[in-house]
Amino acid sequence: MTKQILNEVIVENPFQEVADLNTLSSYSHVIIPIELYLEHSSAFEQFQGELGIRIGTDQDLALLVPILSKISLIEVRYDSFTDGRGHSLARLLREAYHYKGILRASGDVFKDTLYYLKRCGFNAFLVKESETLDHALQGLNVFTESYQAAVDQIPLFRRRVELLRI
Amino acid sequence: MYIYDEIDQQIVNERVAQFRDQTLRFLEGKLTEEEFRPLRLQNGLYIQRHAPMLRIAIPYGVLSSKQLRQLAYIARTYDRGTGHFTTRQNIQFNWPKLADVPNILSDLADVQMHAIQTSGNCVRNTTTDHFAGVAFDEIIDPRVYCELIRQWSTFHPEFAFLPRKFKIAVNGSREDRAATLVHDIGLHALLNDRGELGFRVMVGGGLGRTPMIGVVIREFLPEKHLLSYLDAILRIYNRYGRRDNKYKARIKILVKAMTAEKFAAAVEEEWSRIKDGPTTLIDEEVKRIKARFPEKPYQTLAAELPEEVKHFVNQPHVKAWYERNVFAHKQPGYKAITVSLKALGHAPGDMSAEQMEVVARLAEEVGFGDIRVSHEQNLILPDVPNTAIPQVYEALRQWGLVTANIGLLSNIISCPGGDYCSLANARSIPVAQAIQQQFSDLDYLYDIGELDLNISGCMNACGHHHIGHIGILGVDKHGEEFYQITIGGSQAPARLGKVIGPSLKQEDVPQAIEALITVYLETRESTEERFVDVVERLGLDPFKVAVYGQKDAHTEVNHD
Ligand code: SF4
């Protein structure tokens, strides 16, 4: 099984790709692209295990939002770490649609990209081939404080007085 | 300047450590060029024609004497002794070594400076009026709001990787001296009929390849909603701005494609979800930021110049300088003095380490250690008491900083161009120098009067050529450097210049400018009527004829 970063620790990644839909019931955790789900939604609705959906950074949320309650993992795949659309998607999923499951970034993910991703609501990461999970983990907390509000924090200006008192 | 507290300091210190790690990994081959490039750009580091270029943020153009002294130290230690002030109120060094950059950032952090987001596809340094805080017609001190925006945008996790760079300008006075209409977002402070503060919000202005004037999407945004509204605009842009073509990626293209009304509606809808959330400003924070700009203990002085100073400024060699480079101040008995970086034979905006130290010392001796950088690439001593004018003049004169050309043709605004910039089509500094050479006679310059001349080395328009009364743009024609001329642009009110005809060779540019000026001098109705007013009144034709002759100017007419 591969590994992933989940909630700031390195753990097994239980979600597996399915090659053949007929074998679906033999899995406990699967991850599939959203297109496949939309095409075979009835098969997946009957699936008893944990379901993960993979989307791109340009995913139309209108297709994803109706199925949020059925899934326990959303993986946003970054073809390039400079594609900031995924960051907005993550915040919208967390803040506007109150998605509580795992939100995972994959693709062009490495140490230097983790801090912003985490602040936007990602709590799981698969890193690129040239990167190790141990190394990437150090990127999660490169800054102790941040100015603006995001998924993890209210703005510094609402906390500053308190922080300086300590 | 805004004085950091421990948290602000810690954030820049952590940035230095982060960038040191990134640079080391790159030098050791552990980060690829493709990975390192966007990361270094977010720290203002370009790889240029000769060496890396490092752009350092001067937030909204406000510097302290201590910071300017540190810039002099950096120029001397890591560069060849000069810095280049840019049209975006920043400073660039053209000769640092990549391995030195983390040390430079650490030296900057020592004086509460950084290079964060001075490049890359993120929210850049917010710009404003260079007379902020001392201007006589101010509604609010824009520095406070610029600092709020600086903090909001610094490492904004959602908007670090936008489709393209993003520039915000804030104007706090009645007159728009911040060119808010040619920024991605322009904010113009106003008071409503109940005396409450708010902002008119404009989006989609910008120069570059497709110059456009911004459109108003909200007439009055109450102060407390400033940051959440910015979040909403940026989110729409981040999600829907084009990423497939870098020339179509600026917000202006999105606004145009969607139409201003639909764009505004999308922003309002997004905003309705986040409005009144935690990002809503609180009074305590506005007050806290205000208080971190040190009070200036102004003396009570007579508004009138003292007799001996009056005498001093009336001397023939000082008079022109006093008229052009000295500005009114909101405090009686004080002046704001422009330190000209446009001396004949020097690249516009360049300043030596020694000159920086002289200005830093003057700011401490006669002012309160406050210095400004103007988008016209000059420095400003904002608080000079009338009695100190002779002392300031003499000190600046010794160092070649009293060129009396502010607002005149030879106060050329120019990007670094092909001598330094790898994107350039053509060099801009030699053209600027050739024009300054041609128009070195001060009496003649005076007679010509107010004229903004801007030069950019390529379409990226860092020299803001579209809003120059005369604009010059470097273009590439089969590998040769050519220059396209526009006239009739203006900064306030924002108006874009029009191209007068085919581009010219470098050696023909000064004569062409001379020809334009001759038409102007011959046709103006009085000395009050400026060059740009004549262009507005007569149109392009007489100017075209003067530069290209009858035939070329009207190629569509007679071909026999
Ligand atoms: S306008 Fe072009 S040549 Fe000039 S600095 Fe900008 S990118 Fe370089």
Side-chain angles (χ1 to χ4, degrees):
Chain A
M1 222 175 256
T2 56
K3 302 228 176 213
Q4 63 175 344
I5 295 172
L6 177 66
N7 299 328
E8 314 219 352
V9 284
I10 299 170
V11 297
E12 301 284 321
N13 164 25
F15 288 88
Q16 291 180 284
E17 313 275 342
V18 250
D20 179 358
L21 280 190
N22 296 320
T23 63
L24 189 60
S25 55
S26 64
Y27 292 88
S28 65
H29 296 69
V30 298
I31 175 150
I32 48 161
I34 189 164
E35 296 76 18
L36 191 68
Y37 180 91
L38 296 173
E39 205 177 310
H40 303 280
S41 54
S42 55
F44 289 109
E45 266 159 33
Q46 270 148 47
F47 177 59
Q48 295 297 311
E50 304 284 319
L51 185 60
I53 296 284
R54 183 180 299 120
I55 59 173
T57 51
D58 57 351
Q59 177 61 43
D60 177 0
L61 282 177
L63 296 175
L64 182 61
V65 168
I67 59 172
L68 282 182
S69 60
K70 303 188 178 75
I71 54 187
S72 47
L73 164 78
I74 298 172
E75 178 180 311
V76 181
R77 194 180 159 82
Y78 281 86
D79 288 334
S80 161
F81 76 93
T82 58
D83 186 349
R85 288 176 296 185
H87 298 59
S88 284
L89 273 187
R91 280 194 77 176
L92 283 168
L93 284 169
R94 291 290 194 212
E95 295 174 328
Y97 300 102
H98 310 291
Y99 170 70
K100 297 283 192 298
I102 301 172
L103 190 54
R104 182 163 80 182
S106 72
D108 196 9
V109 175
F110 54 104
K111 179 183 174 185
D112 308 276
T113 70
L114 259 56
Y115 179 70
Y116 289 152
L117 291 170
K118 172 186 99 168
R119 294 212 63 214
C120 288
F122 287 99
N123 64 333
F125 307 91
L126 292 174
V127 297
K128 68 199 284 189
E129 216 164 293
S130 56
E131 179 64 303
T132 66
L133 290 170
D134 281 310
H135 185 248
L137 204 49
Q138 299 165 25
L140 272 176
N141 296 301
V142 279
F143 293 98
T144 5
E145 267 311 329
S146 38
Y147 285 115
Q148 58 299 96
V151 174
D152 59 338
Q153 197 48 286
I154 60 171
L156 181 60
F157 63 74
R158 289 181 183 269
R159 299 178 287 120
R160 201 190 280 256
V161 177
E162 202 54 41
L163 281 169
L164 288 172
R165 200 174 291 144
I166 300 164
Chain B
M1 60 176 266
Y2 165 85
I3 298 172
Y4 285 5
D5 68 15
E6 298 145 47
I7 302 173
D8 301 308
Q9 185 67 50
Q10 182 185 334
I11 290 173
V12 293
N13 291 349
E14 286 170 346
R15 171 56 145 200
V16 175
Q18 181 193 39
F19 194 67
R20 193 179 291 283
D21 169 61
Q22 290 168 344
T23 308
L24 266 177
R25 279 154 59 215
F26 174 69
L27 291 172
E28 287 168 357
K30 290 181 188 152
L31 268 180
T32 64
E33 169 57 26
E34 216 191 345
E35 289 162 344
F36 186 52
R37 192 173 174 276
L39 301 175
R40 66 168 159 76
L41 285 176
Q42 304 245 338
N43 238 320
L45 185 63
Y46 287 78
I47 305 293
Q48 293 275 54
R49 213 154 262 193
H50 302 292
M53 181 276 272
L54 179 66
R55 182 183 297 146
I56 292 163
I58 299 176
Y60 34 95
V62 176
L63 263 181
S64 74
S65 53
K66 193 171 165 208
Q67 292 176 325
L68 185 57
R69 225 176 246 122
Q70 188 78 331
L71 293 175
Y73 168 81
I74 289 169
R76 210 175 267 131
T77 314
Y78 305 102
D79 196 280
R80 299 182 176 176
T82 359
H84 173 80
F85 287 96
T86 76
T87 54
R88 301 213 63 256
Q89 303 179 311
N90 290 318
I91 186 169
Q92 292 176 185
F93 289 108
N94 284 313
W95 302 97
K97 290 196 195 67
L98 177 55
D100 281 338
V101 173
N103 295 333
I104 300 177
L105 295 182
S106 163
D107 290 342
L108 289 170
D110 288 345
V111 293
Q112 311 193 346
M113 292 183 84
H114 58 74
I116 296 164
Q117 291 167 213
T118 52
S119 180
N121 296 335
C122 48
V123 182
R124 304 286 189 87
N125 185 14
T126 301
T127 48
T128 188
D129 182 358
H130 45 266
F131 294 122
V134 303
F136 61 95
D137 61 342
E138 213 158 76
I139 300 164
I140 50 142
D141 182 348
R143 292 174 305 171
V144 174
Y145 299 88
C146 288
E147 179 60 25
L148 276 164
I149 294 171
R150 185 190 75 84
Q151 298 194 7
W152 161 83
S153 64
T154 297
F155 307 138
H156 197 304
E158 187 180 348
F159 307 132
F161 300 111
L162 297 168
R164 200 78 179 84
K165 59 188 167 186
F166 203 90
K167 300 174 180 178
I168 302 176
V170 183
N171 185 58
S173 297
R174 259 162 263 283
E175 190 193 332
D176 182 5
R177 280 185 297 263
T180 54
L181 280 170
V182 289
H183 283 80
D184 295 292
I185 295 179
L187 297 166
H188 199 133
L190 353 137
L191 298 175
N192 68 8
D193 40 19
R194 272 169 292 165
E196 294 154 344
L197 175 65
F199 296 90
R200 179 183 299 127
V201 183
M202 292 152 283
V203 297
L207 301 172
R209 191 169 285 252
T210 325
M212 274 181 215
I213 299 291
V215 290
V216 177
I217 59 164
R218 197 164 229 283
E219 271 301 335
F220 188 84
L221 175 71
E223 174 194 16
K224 67 173 181 177
H225 295 307
L226 176 64
L227 299 180
S228 61
Y229 202 78
L230 293 179
D231 267 331
I233 299 175
L234 266 294
R235 182 170 285 170
I236 298 296
Y237 171 55
N238 190 38
R239 296 190 69 202
Y240 303 112
R242 282 181 66 169
R243 289 173 185 264
D244 58 330
N245 178 343
K246 90 176 220 202
Y247 299 115
K248 302 219 156 59
R250 294 291 288 268
I251 195 173
K252 59 191 171 188
I253 307 287
L254 177 66
V255 173
K256 198 169 170 216
M258 285 176 80
T259 75
E261 294 69 39
K262 292 225 175 78
F263 181 84
V267 169
E268 293 281 328
E269 193 198 325
E270 188 60 46
W271 184 52
S272 66
R273 282 196 265 190
I274 53 176
K275 185 183 176 216
D276 299 317
T279 295
T280 311
L281 274 175
I282 48 178
D283 285 348
E284 293 81 359
E285 174 65 357
V286 178
K287 284 202 200 103
R288 186 191 72 83
I289 292 199
K290 264 187 202 145
R292 294 199 81 83
F293 286 93
E295 272 297 314
K296 293 177 176 177
Y298 290 113
Q299 292 164 265
T300 319
L301 299 175
E304 274 278 287
L305 289 187
E307 270 317 305
E308 67 284 5
V309 177
K310 217 179 263 171
H311 184 74
F312 181 85
V313 301
N314 273 325
Q315 301 173 91
H317 65 288
V318 187
K319 202 163 190 281
W321 172 82
Y322 184 75
E323 281 168 11
R324 303 300 325 181
N325 298 24
V326 178
F327 291 84
H329 197 288
K330 69 174 182 193
Q331 186 71 23
Y334 283 84
K335 298 282 188 294
I337 292 185
T338 300
V339 177
S340 169
L341 303 182
K342 305 296 172 69
L344 189 59
H346 285 267
D350 271 13
M351 193 175 203
S352 71
E354 291 73 25
Q355 289 175 321
M356 291 181 206
E357 280 159 354
V358 168
V359 173
R361 180 171 53 78
L362 278 174
E364 279 162 13
E365 281 174 9
V366 308
F368 307 103
D370 188 13
I371 297 151
R372 302 300 169 80
V373 182
S374 78
H375 70 91
E376 291 166 334
Q377 301 172 288
N378 294 309
L379 295 196
I380 287 157
L381 288 167
D383 308 288
V384 180
N386 285 342
T387 47
I389 290 173
Q391 178 198 345
V392 170
Y393 176 84
E394 287 304 339
L396 294 178
R397 188 187 54 82
Q398 277 181 30
W399 289 91
L401 298 167
V402 290
T403 314
N405 60 0
I406 307 310
L408 298 181
L409 189 155
S410 60
N411 182 32
I412 294 173
I413 296 176
S414 169
C415 78
D419 292 303
Y420 295 106
C421 175
S422 52
L423 301 172
N425 288 322
R427 285 168 300 163
S428 39
I429 296 168
V431 181
Q433 288 174 340
I435 297 169
Q436 282 172 334
Q437 215 43 267
Q438 178 103 1
F439 293 90
S440 58
D441 179 346
L442 255 190
D443 291 330
Y444 184 40
L445 274 177
Y446 259 75
D447 191 33
I448 299 167
E450 196 187 316
L451 198 148
D452 295 342
L453 193 146
N454 298 48
I455 308 177
S456 304
C458 77
M459 294 281 218
N460 288 322
C462 302
H464 301 172
H465 62 279
H466 303 106
I467 53 168
H469 298 169
I470 296 179
I472 300 178
L473 165 68
V475 291
D476 175 280
K477 264 197 188 168
H478 320 294
E480 252 196 280
E481 298 178 336
F482 272 76
Y483 297 87
Q484 182 190 70
I485 297 179
T486 47
I487 59 174
S490 107
Q491 184 191 302
R495 218 167 35 218
L496 304 170
K498 297 202 179 75
V499 179
I500 58 166
S503 46
L504 304 168
K505 286 199 171 133
Q506 187 186 319
E507 58 265 32
D508 298 330
V509 173
Q511 284 101 299
I513 306 299
E514 184 76 64
L516 294 173
I517 296 301
T518 309
V519 175
Y520 160 64
L521 292 174
E522 283 168 359
T523 53
R524 71 177 170 191
E525 283 169 344
S526 73
T527 50
E528 314 286 76
E529 199 184 23
R530 302 169 307 161
F531 175 85
V532 68
D533 304 325
V534 172
V535 177
E536 170 100 356
R537 178 165 58 84
L538 297 180
L540 298 189
D541 280 352
F543 295 95
K544 285 184 178 173
V545 172
V547 173
Y548 301 100
Q550 199 67 34
K551 211 162 159 206
D552 288 341
H554 297 280
T555 35
E556 72 280 349
V557 196
N558 260 311
H559 273 282
D560 58 7

